[in-house]
Amino acid sequence: MTRTFPSTVAGPVQHEIVITRSRFITTVAPVTGVEDAERVITEVRRRHWDARHNCSAMVTNVLGDQARSSDDGEPSGTAGVPMLEVLRRRDLTDVVAVVTRYFGGVKLGAGGLVRAYSTSVSAALDRAATVRRVELTRVDVSAPHADAGRIDNVLRQWVLQHGATFDEPTYGVAVGFTLWVPATALGALRADLAAASAGALEPVVGAPRVVDVPTT
């Protein structure tokens, strides 16, 4: 079975809801680590400098085992931690969420704040495209230029049927194809490539790597 990891979001998303006259503007973005997440938080603070609060939560690392959150002036435990719990429930990593609150003059109470910040992040994530992460093995195939078009078509169809991904070809003395393949499908690739090339092409198997795969 192909090993899977926490997913991430494909790109930034911003969404706003109003609860009891307070505006909650959520920014969700993919990040490469803690420093990148802090950069996103700083940008949101700069953009919404006049807001009462800019609360945040982040989960980072490929295993999702690093996390931070901030209530940014809201009562302790009513903003950052509930936001973080939403990211955890969605099984996401390398993601940051910032909820900007423009106070509407009505206090929500601790329970109301927890619900508001949780709902804000959930609503934003509902609008975000996700990217699966799986451990795939690199496979390189080199083909003569005369056969490259046909082999390209064969490999592109093959990856669609076997949960693999396909890098763009490189052109030199020969045409190089790089695939990222589930370990369980390596035998099938060898057999199918041999059949397509009358045994002339042999895949070169490399090291495994965690690869982002867009959710279809």
Side-chain angles (χ1 to χ4, degrees):
M1 181 179 294
T2 302
R3 185 181 179 187
T4 60
F5 298 83
S7 302
T8 190
V9 293
V13 173
Q14 184 170 297
H15 180 64
E16 178 177 342
I17 62 176
V18 177
I19 300 175
T20 319
R21 301 211 304 256
S22 279
R23 295 172 59 203
F24 292 85
I25 305 169
T26 301
T27 301
V28 173
V31 295
T32 57
V34 173
E35 185 175 338
D36 195 28
E38 294 290 356
R39 176 190 58 78
V40 173
I41 295 169
T42 298
E43 288 178 355
V44 172
R45 288 181 184 278
R46 186 179 300 118
R47 186 163 66 246
H48 296 291
W49 59 270
D50 56 340
R52 179 72 67 90
H53 307 282
N54 285 286
C55 305
S56 61
M58 69 177 79
V59 181
T60 57
N61 201 7
V62 68
L63 297 177
D65 53 5
Q66 296 181 359
R68 296 184 184 182
S69 65
S70 169
D71 294 313
D72 193 38
E74 292 282 28
S76 179
T78 62
V81 170
M83 293 166 60
L84 184 58
E85 288 178 351
V86 174
L87 300 180
R88 291 290 200 197
R89 284 199 303 271
R90 299 289 183 112
D91 195 27
L92 295 172
T93 191
D94 286 338
V95 61
V96 63
V98 187
V99 177
T100 301
R101 181 189 183 191
Y102 285 91
F103 183 55
V106 178
K107 293 185 177 181
L108 301 181
L113 288 172
V114 169
R115 288 189 295 273
Y117 281 99
S118 298
T119 300
S120 297
V121 176
S122 292
L125 290 174
D126 287 344
R127 290 157 176 78
T130 57
V131 176
R132 293 188 301 115
R133 286 180 165 175
V134 296
E135 186 175 72
L136 301 177
T137 299
R138 176 171 177 153
V139 178
D140 290 296
V141 176
S142 181
H145 284 271
D147 298 329
R150 182 174 59 83
I151 297 302
D152 185 290
N153 289 334
V154 168
L155 293 178
R156 288 182 187 275
Q157 288 299 315
W158 191 92
V159 300
L160 292 175
Q161 298 166 3
H162 292 84
T165 65
F166 190 80
D167 291 352
E168 287 304 308
T170 59
Y171 296 88
V173 176
V175 181
F177 302 97
T178 299
L179 295 77
W180 295 93
V181 180
T184 54
L186 291 172
L189 176 60
R190 286 192 181 92
D192 294 342
L193 189 59
S197 66
L201 301 182
E202 177 70 20
V204 177
V205 178
R209 190 183 77 179
V210 178
V211 177
D212 289 351
V213 180
T215 302
T216 56

